[in-house]
Amino acid sequence: MSEQITFTPTRPYLARAIYEWICDNQLTPYLLVDATQPHTDVPLQFVKDGQIVLNLAPHAVHQLHMSNDAITFSARFGGVAKEIYVPIRAVLGIYARENGQGLFFDPSEYEDMEETAAPETEQTKQEAEPTKKKPSLRILD
C-alpha cells in the first residue's frame, strides 16, 4: 500500500522570490491576475479578458502581504482606496514592467486542489445576510 504525498504548491514561494528580485533590481513588479477565480477582489472596471495587471511597487501599495494562500494589499484606483485580495490560485504571473522578466505560472496547477475559503470581509458578510425587501411607497386612491 503506497501513500500519496501531497506537497504545498510552489507558486507562493516563487512569487515572493521573484517579487524580491524585481524590487532589489529597482524594477517595477507587476502581478498578472485571473480575475475570474473565486474570492478574487480587484477593481472590476480595469479587468480585460478576465485578467488584470496590478502594480505592486512598494510606493504604489500599502500593507502588502504575500502569504501561501493570498496576496493582499490596499491601493488607490482612480483616487479611490481599495482593499485587494488575490488568492494564490489566481496569480498567473509576476514580472518586471521594464523588461518583462519574471515568472508565469501554469493556470491548471490548482485545478485538482480543494478551494479554501477566503477570509470574511465586509462584502462577504453582506452577501451572507438575507436580503431585506426595501421599503416602498404606494399611493392609495
Side-chain angles (χ1 to χ4, degrees):
M1 194 181 238
S2 65
E3 291 183 30
Q4 187 176 1
I5 299 173
T6 345
F7 294 102
T8 338
T10 57
R11 189 177 299 189
Y13 300 94
L14 296 173
R16 285 190 294 267
I18 295 298
Y19 174 81
E20 192 172 316
W21 176 84
I22 291 169
C23 290
D24 284 352
N25 285 283
Q26 285 78 48
L27 299 171
T28 309
Y30 273 10
L31 186 71
L32 177 62
V33 176
D34 177 357
T36 65
Q37 287 294 319
H39 309 297
T40 303
D41 190 7
V42 296
L44 297 177
Q45 66 269 32
F46 300 106
V47 172
K48 290 186 179 149
D49 298 324
Q51 297 180 345
I52 186 170
V53 176
L54 300 169
N55 180 350
L56 292 185
H59 66 272
V61 299
H62 184 63
Q63 295 180 335
L64 175 66
H65 182 68
M66 299 175 83
S67 73
N68 288 351
D69 299 319
I71 297 174
T72 60
F73 60 93
S74 64
R76 293 193 168 276
F77 296 88
V80 178
K82 170 128 176 87
E83 295 294 322
I84 304 298
Y85 183 87
V86 178
I88 288 295
R89 71 183 316 129
V91 174
L92 297 176
I94 183 165
Y95 62 95
R97 178 191 72 190
E98 292 80 0
N99 60 15
Q101 288 189 337
L103 197 54
F104 295 87
F105 303 104
D106 177 9
S108 64
E109 179 183 11
Y110 281 79
E111 283 180 356
D112 297 332
M113 297 183 73
E114 275 188 37
E115 184 181 319
T116 57
E120 193 171 284
T121 63
E122 191 61 39
Q123 181 180 355
T124 55
K125 284 179 191 174
Q126 290 173 355
E127 290 170 358
E129 292 176 4
T131 53
K132 297 176 185 171
K133 189 175 178 183
K134 293 183 179 181
S136 62
L137 182 62
R138 275 190 337 191
I139 300 176
L140 300 173
D141 292 323

